[in-house]
C-alpha cells in the first residue's frame, strides 16, 4: 500500500512538474525565468499552482449556498428561536440526533429549480457556485453510496440535488464547487467532544477514538463521490476542521488524496488546522490548502502574497432563518465586491434557500442589482489584480495590465477627480457607464456634474 501511495504521489509530482517543465520551456524561450519555490508539500511549482488557480482568480465573484435540513426549522424549534446562525440550530438548541433526524422525513423541496438558481447566480455576474454538499449535521444533498443519511434514502424528495445543480452549471458555464464539513454531528465515529457534545454523552476530555475510521471509510469515500460523479468540480471548500480529533497530518493526507483524484481541483485552507486569522498559514508555517478564507470580514490590507476569498452572508445567517430580515443594502454588497477585488481577493456571497427550495426574494433582488452593476462594470472586477496604491478617499482601484479601474464611491463636488496618486500617469480616461472620454489635467480628471451610478461609477484609465 505504501509503495502504491509513493507511486501515485510520484506520478502526481511528475504531472505537476510536467506542467512546470512545459512552463520551464516557455520560461527558457522567454529568457531564463527562475522556477519559483514549490508552494506546498506536493512539490507543486508556483507556476503550476498559478495555472491551476487562474480561472478562480479571474472569476473574482461566486455564490455560496447553505442549504439542508436546517431550512425546515428555519431558526426555531420547540417554541424557541435561535439567536445564532440557522445551520447551527441542532447545536444551539441542543436538538438530540433522533429528533433532528425527523426533519429528513419533512425534506421535500418541491420548488427547487436548479436552472433557476444557476441563472440567478449567472445574471448576478457570479462565475462559480459553492454549495454545502454536507454541512455539520452530516446530511448529504446527493445520492451517496456510503450513507443512508442522504436526500435519496432519508427524505421523501428522493432526487440527487447536486446532480441537478451539476447539469445546470455545465449548461450555463458556471463552475460547480462543494463545501464539505469535516466535523459531522451525525456519524457515530465522528462525534466530537467539541460539539454537539451533548450528543456523545462522553466527558468533554474524551476524544472520538474512531475519528480516523470516519475519515478513511466515510469522509474520503464521500469526497471521491463528489469529485468523480458531478462533472468538472472547481473547488472543495472544507470547513469544520477545528474539531480536536482532526490533525494537520490528516489535513495534508486529505489534500494529497484529493489532488491525486483530481489534480486541477482547488482546495481551501480549512482542509488543515492552519487558519489562524483565516489566512491559511498553519502552525509550522507550511501553507496547507490553496487559499485563505476570511469569514464575514474583508481584511484591511487584503492578504498580500496569498490567494484569498472573503465569504459573507447577505443577512446574518448562512442557513435560512424565517425571521432574519437584517439584509445588507445593494450599495454595501456592490462596494464590498469592489473593496475585495481592489485588495486582490474573491467575494463568495451567500444565499440560504428555504425548505421548499426557493432563494429568498430579498436575496434575489440584491443579486439582480449586483448583476445590473456588473453588466456595465464587470470588466473592472474580472481578471483584475489588487490596487498598486492605498485606497484613495474617493473609492477603490483595480488593475489589469496597463489599465486602472477607478471605482468612485464619493463623487467629487468640484467635478475634478484627484488622480495624483493612482500608481501611474493617466494617458486616457473613459467613463464606463457610457464609454464617454473624459479630459485629463496633470493631476485630475474632469467629471460630469452627476455620477452615472450613485453606488459606484467606474472610470477606465490607460496608464
Ligand atoms: C463556519 C460554519 O460553522 C458556518 O456554519 C458556515 O458554514 C461558515 C461559512 O463556516 O463558520 C465558522 C467556523 C469557525 C469559526 C467561525 C465561523 N471560528 O473558528 O472562528
Amino acid at each position: 500500500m505504501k509503495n502504491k501511495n509513493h507511486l501515485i504521489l510520484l506520478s502526481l509530482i511528475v504531472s505537476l512538474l510536467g506542467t512546470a517543465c512545459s512552463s520551464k520551456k516557455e520560461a527558457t524561450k522567454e529568457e531564463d525565468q527562475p522556477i519559483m519555490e514549490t508552494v506546498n508539500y506536493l512539490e507543486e511549482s508556483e507556476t503550476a499552482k498559478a495555472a491551476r488557480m487562474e480561472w478562480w482568480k479571474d472569476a473574482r465573484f461566486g455564490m455560496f449556498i447553505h442549504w439542508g435540513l436546517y431550512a425546515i426549522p428555519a431558526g426555531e424549534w420547540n417554541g424557541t428561536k435561535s439567536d445564532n446562525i440557522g445551520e447551527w440550530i441542532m447545536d444551539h438548541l441542543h436538538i438530540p440526533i433522533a429528533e433532528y433526524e425527523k426533519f429528513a422525513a419533512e425534506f421535500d423541496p418541491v420548488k427547487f429549480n436548479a436552472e433557476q438558481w444557476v441563472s440567478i447566480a449567472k445574471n448576478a455576474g457570479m462565475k462559480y457556485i459553492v454549495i454545502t454538499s454536507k454541512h455539520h449535521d452530516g446530511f448529504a444533498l446527493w445520492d451517496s453510496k456510503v450513507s443512508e443519511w442522504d436526500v435519496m434514502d432519508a427524505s421523501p424528495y428522493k432526487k440527487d440535488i447536486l446532480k441537478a445543480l451539476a447539469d445546470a452549471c455545465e449548461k450555463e458555464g458556471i463552475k460547480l464547487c462543494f463545501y464539505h464539513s469535516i466535523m459531522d454531528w451525525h456519524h457515530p465515529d465522528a462525534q466530537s467532544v467539541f460539539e454537539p457534545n451533548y450528543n456523545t454523552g462522553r466527558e468533554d476530555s474524551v476524544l472520538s477514538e474512531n475519528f480516523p475510521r470516519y475519515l478513511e471509510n466515510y469522509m474520503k469515500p464521500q469526497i471521491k463521490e463528489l469529485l468523480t460523479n458531478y462533472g468538472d468540480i472547481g473547488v472543495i471548500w472544507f470547513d469544520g476542521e477545528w474539531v480536536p480529533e482532526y490533525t494537520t497530518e490528516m489535513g495534508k493526507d486529505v489534500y494529497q488524496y484529493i489532488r491525486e483524484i483530481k489534480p486541477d481541483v482547488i482546495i481551501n485552507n480549512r482542509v488543515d488546522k492552519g487558519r489562524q486569522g483565516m489566512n491559511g498559514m498553519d502552525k509550522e508555517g507550511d501553507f496547507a490548502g490553496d487559499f485563505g478564507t476570511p469569514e464575514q470580514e474583508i481584511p484591511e490590507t487584503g492578504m498580500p502574497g496569498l490567494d484569498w476569498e472573503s465569504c459573507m452572508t447577505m443577512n446574518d445567517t448562512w442557513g435560512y432563518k424565517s425571521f432574519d430580515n437584517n439584509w445588507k443594502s445593494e450599495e454595501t454588497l456592490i462596494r464590498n465586491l469592489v473593496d475585495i477585488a481592489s485588495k486582490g481577493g474573491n467575494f463568495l456571497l451567500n444565499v440560504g434557500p428555504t425548505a421548499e427550495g426557493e432563494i429568498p426574494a430579498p436575496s434575489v433582488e440584491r443579486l439582480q442589482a449586483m448583476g445590473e452593476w456588473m453588466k456595465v462594470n464587470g470588466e473592472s472586477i474580472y481578471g483584475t489584480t489588487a490596487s498598486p496604491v492605498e485606497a484613495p478617499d474617493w473609492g477603490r482601484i483595480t488593475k489589469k495590465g496597463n489599465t486602472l479601474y477607478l471605482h468612485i464611491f464619493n463623487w467629487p463636488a468640484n467635478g475634478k477627480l484627484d488622480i495624483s496618486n493612482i500608481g501611474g500617469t493617466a494617458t486616457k480616461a473613459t467613463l464606463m457607464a457610457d464609454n464617454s472620454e473624459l479630459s485629463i489635467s496633470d493631476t485630475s480628471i474632469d467629471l460630469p456634474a452627476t455620477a452615472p451610478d450613485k453606488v459606484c461609477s467606474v472610470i477606465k484609465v490607460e496608464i
Side-chain angles (χ1 to χ4, degrees), residues 107-379:
F107 191 65
D108 191 17
V110 292
K111 292 182 181 173
F112 170 58
N113 179 329
E115 302 229 345
Q116 186 188 55
W117 285 16
V118 173
S119 66
I120 288 169
K122 186 170 183 179
N123 292 338
M126 295 162 152
K127 298 290 186 183
Y128 60 103
I129 288 174
V130 181
I131 183 168
T132 50
S133 59
K134 181 198 89 168
H135 203 265
H136 307 331
D137 62 4
F139 189 72
L141 293 188
W142 78 99
D143 180 14
S144 175
K145 301 306 177 203
V146 297
S147 177
E148 309 257 305
W149 183 234
D150 68 16
V151 66
M152 298 302 282
D153 299 302
S155 87
Y157 187 63
K158 299 202 182 307
K159 291 185 196 125
D160 190 324
I161 287 165
L162 299 190
K163 183 70 175 77
L165 214 47
D167 293 345
C169 284
E170 163 85 28
K171 188 175 165 197
E172 295 298 329
I174 296 290
K175 199 72 129 166
L176 180 60
C177 312
F178 294 131
Y179 165 112
H180 199 78
S181 178
I182 294 160
M183 175 167 72
D184 188 312
W185 295 337
H186 187 269
H187 194 287
D189 288 346
Q191 294 294 302
S192 164
V193 292
F194 199 72
E195 66 241 325
N197 54 10
Y198 60 89
N199 265 338
T200 61
R202 279 199 316 271
E203 286 308 310
D204 276 4
S205 58
V206 177
L207 297 191
S208 164
E209 62 192 9
N210 294 326
F211 191 85
R213 187 169 67 186
Y214 153 76
L215 218 52
E216 286 309 315
N217 298 356
Y218 190 82
M219 191 183 99
K220 285 164 81 170
Q222 286 202 322
I223 293 286
K224 185 166 187 176
E225 290 178 333
L226 293 172
L227 284 171
T228 49
N229 302 336
Y230 296 91
D232 180 21
I233 300 308
V235 176
I236 298 290
W237 209 99
F238 281 107
D239 191 33
E241 81 290 353
W242 57 84
V243 290
E245 289 85 353
Y246 190 69
T247 65
T248 284
E249 280 322 301
M250 289 174 178
K252 291 181 176 179
D253 170 65
V254 169
Y255 183 87
Q256 181 176 344
Y257 173 75
I258 290 173
R259 296 290 311 284
E260 286 165 2
I261 295 170
K262 196 172 192 294
D264 67 345
V265 79
I266 296 169
I267 303 161
N268 75 342
N269 64 328
R270 301 187 189 187
V271 66
D272 186 22
K273 303 294 281 190
R275 61 181 177 114
Q276 279 85 352
M278 310 279 188
N279 74 356
M281 299 310 286
D282 69 10
K283 286 175 287 303
E284 295 79 42
D286 170 11
F287 180 61
D290 299 315
F291 63 90
T293 54
E295 186 173 313
Q296 302 286 39
E297 61 165 345
I298 302 171
E300 196 49 43
T301 57
M303 292 184 180
L306 281 180
D307 294 319
W308 59 279
E309 172 194 72
S310 180
C311 58
M312 287 185 170
T313 55
M314 261 193 240
N315 49 9
D316 293 323
T317 179
W318 302 94
Y320 179 67
K321 279 174 79 175
S322 60
F323 50 92
D324 180 338
N325 294 303
N326 186 28
W327 301 100
K328 295 176 181 72
S329 68
E330 297 158 11
E331 175 179 294
T332 298
L333 295 171
I334 289 168
R335 290 186 178 182
N336 280 351
L337 172 62
V338 170
D339 184 26
I340 291 166
S342 76
K343 294 166 178 168
N346 281 24
F347 189 24
L348 187 63
L349 182 57
N350 185 73
V351 296
T354 65
E356 293 73 33
E358 290 189 299
I359 295 175
S363 296
V364 176
E365 287 153 17
R366 282 152 181 79
L367 289 171
Q368 279 166 343
M370 294 183 86
E372 290 309 310
W373 187 87
M374 287 293 272
K375 278 192 190 71
V376 175
N377 305 291
E379 173 191 332

Side-chain angles (χ1 to χ4, degrees), residues 406 408 412 414-419 422 426 428-430 437-448 459-461:
L406 313 185
I408 306 165
N414 67 357
K416 291 196 169 303
L417 186 73
D418 176 8
I419 55 168
I422 58 170
K428 185 181 176 187
T430 309
E437 190 160 346
L438 303 174
S439 63
I440 303 169
S441 70
D442 51 349
T443 61
S444 66
I445 297 175
D446 296 337
L447 300 178
I459 296 175
K460 180 176 179 177
V461 170

Side-chain angles (χ1 to χ4, degrees), residues 5-17 260:
N5 276 346
H6 283 159
L7 272 177
I8 294 170
L9 181 57
L10 192 62
S11 66
L12 175 75
I13 290 170
V14 166
S15 72
L16 293 174
L17 285 174
E260 286 165 2

